[in-house]
Amino acid sequence: MPIEATVTLKSRDISGVGRDRIRLLQAVAREGSITAGAKAAGLSYKAAWDALDAMTNLFGQPLLETRTGGKAGGGAVLTPTGVRVIEAFGRLEAEMARVFRNLEPDLAGSGISPFNLVSGFFMKTSARNALRGTITAIQSDTLSAEVAVAVSDDTTIYAMLTSESVRSLGLCVGREAIVLIKAPFVLISPGSEAPLVSARNCVHGVVRRIDVSAVNAEIVLDIGGDKTLAASITARSAADLNLSPGDPACALFDAAHVIVAID
């Protein structure tokens, strides 16, 4: 999968400036007016002005010189600063793309692609469990869909989504995806055989670590393929389970509690 490098410039308390706003700036300069540039960029006049103001605040100098009235009518042209910002932004993105292309030979044979590397660096989520895998099956009707994501050779996690979500995310068999499961949604059953329950997901593993506080406990299972799955339960429940590192256990959770994300 090709990697496309993008740059976002920002400072404290000022919203970021990325490719979309640079394209707006280019459109305004090309069309000769903010109204026409906003239309070309698919923005409202107000949204365009807000974006242009944000860029002026970030760089500390106006990037456009506007004219009103007169024989030639109103219009807008780039200031020298605006020209330099567009040129510098283009060079930054080109340099980032070059860096990622140069990474590919270094990552060859490691099982890590620049695609994995970038998402691993920049993806942030509050879910305790974030597991990357490959979509192996999608079963859907007019409203709902079950998406199967293989996160290792032995473990497949099922997510229940709306059919519209499958379409909007562009999910298909063979595509890489990330499954997110909040630790409080995960139930733990001791032993290698899980009880008969309605939970769609039953992941077998071995207890790697147990961290217990006065009220809560976190149990981390090794589920194979160098991956783990964490469950957040009460300290009392952890005591009742009487698990120790190395013990077999199963993690149980509903498909509706699984979120599917893409890079």
Side-chain angles (χ1 to χ4, degrees), residues 37-80:
K39 183 177 180 180
L43 297 174
S44 67
Y45 183 75
K46 181 182 183 304
W49 261 117
D50 290 344
L52 294 169
D53 285 343
M55 284 189 277
T56 299
N57 292 336
L58 179 65
F59 295 105
Q61 298 181 49
L63 308 184
L64 287 171
E65 179 182 340
T66 59
R67 299 187 300 269
T68 58
K71 289 185 178 181
V77 296
L78 288 173
T79 65

Side-chain angles (χ1 to χ4, degrees), residues 13-241:
D13 300 326
I14 297 178
S15 58
V17 171
R19 180 182 295 174
D20 289 345
R21 289 186 173 180
I22 295 297
R23 283 178 174 169
L24 168 64
L25 189 62
Q26 292 172 314
V28 172
R30 182 177 63 251
E31 300 295 332
S33 78
I34 294 174
T35 300
K39 183 177 180 180
L43 297 174
S44 67
Y45 183 75
K46 181 182 183 304
W49 261 117
D50 290 344
L52 294 169
D53 285 343
M55 284 189 277
T56 299
N57 292 336
L58 179 65
F59 295 105
Q61 298 181 49
L63 308 184
L64 287 171
E65 179 182 340
T66 59
R67 299 187 300 269
T68 58
K71 289 185 178 181
V77 296
L78 288 173
T79 65
T81 299
V83 172
R84 289 194 294 270
V85 164
I86 291 174
E87 292 176 348
F89 191 88
R91 288 198 300 271
L92 278 172
E93 288 202 322
E95 185 63 19
M96 282 186 64
R98 184 190 65 79
V99 169
F100 284 116
R101 284 196 301 270
N102 290 340
L103 277 175
E104 291 182 1
D106 296 333
L107 295 173
S110 67
I112 301 174
S113 67
F115 177 76
N116 301 143
L117 188 68
V118 174
S119 63
F121 281 153
F122 298 117
M123 183 177 180
K124 296 181 180 179
T125 173
S126 64
R128 177 69 173 81
N129 299 293
L131 303 169
R132 179 178 294 277
T134 302
I135 298 174
T136 56
I138 299 176
Q139 294 185 353
S140 62
D141 56 26
T142 56
L143 295 178
S144 302
E146 181 184 79
V147 179
V149 181
V151 298
S152 72
D153 291 340
D154 301 319
T155 302
T156 296
I157 291 177
Y158 300 90
M160 184 62 68
L161 312 177
T162 65
S163 296
E164 177 58 31
S165 293
V166 172
R167 289 190 292 270
S168 63
L169 291 173
L171 303 183
C172 59
V173 172
R175 179 167 188 171
E176 284 195 352
I178 299 167
V179 291
L180 306 172
I181 313 107
K182 292 182 72 67
F185 292 154
V186 181
L187 305 178
I188 296 294
S189 174
S192 57
E193 295 297 327
L196 292 176
V197 294
S198 62
R200 181 66 175 94
N201 292 286
C202 175
V203 179
H204 298 268
V206 175
V207 177
R208 173 181 287 188
R209 188 177 70 253
I210 303 175
D211 298 319
V212 183
S213 67
V215 177
N216 294 319
E218 182 180 79
I219 297 179
V220 179
L221 298 186
D222 184 336
I223 61 173
D226 296 321
K227 295 184 178 181
T228 61
L229 189 65
S232 178
I233 62 176
T234 65
R236 178 62 181 273
S237 294
D240 291 342
L241 291 173

